[in-house]
Amino acid sequence: MANHKSAEKRIRANRAKYLTNKYQMKTARTFIKRFKTATEKAEILDLFKKVSGMIDKLAKKGIIHKNNAANKKSKLAKHLNVKTQA
């Protein structure tokens, strides 16, 4: 248990940030799954724009590493090309 007031505040702040980051990651994962299961071409393109923006925001805020974001976007782009060609 924390012995100083500042340490207690840090614990509270870290918990709040953790919950925010967790919510944003979960939302992004949900949209990625929705993108992968989409069937209509217009919906796929719309979701790709939305998901890539979400991933960029996660990287910008430091929730995920920028290389991880680039890797995720690359995989989604490959998935997009396969879905739109078929």
Side-chain angles (χ1 to χ4, degrees):
M1 193 64 199
N3 292 324
H4 298 282
K5 218 170 195 179
S6 61
E8 291 172 354
K9 182 178 178 181
R10 181 77 353 235
I11 290 169
R12 288 193 308 270
N14 286 342
R15 180 70 181 165
K17 287 179 187 175
Y18 162 77
L19 291 174
T20 303
N21 293 346
K22 182 179 171 185
Y23 171 76
Q24 291 175 349
M25 273 300 294
K26 182 62 178 169
T27 305
R29 277 198 306 265
T30 302
F31 272 88
I32 289 171
K33 287 175 188 172
R34 196 178 297 172
F35 168 77
K36 287 183 178 179
T37 58
T39 54
E40 296 178 21
K41 193 171 184 177
E43 183 185 7
I44 291 169
L45 294 172
D46 182 47
L47 282 171
F48 179 72
K49 289 179 185 177
K50 189 176 278 190
V51 169
S52 61
M54 285 178 154
I55 292 172
D56 286 336
K57 277 187 185 177
L58 292 175
K60 185 178 180 183
K61 291 180 180 182
I63 297 171
I64 61 174
H65 194 272
K66 65 176 186 169
N67 291 351
N68 187 352
N71 192 13
K72 285 183 189 303
K73 285 175 60 177
S74 174
K75 286 181 181 179
L76 291 175
K78 282 183 183 179
H79 195 75
L80 173 74
N81 288 334
V82 169
K83 283 233 176 180
T84 55
Q85 287 177 357

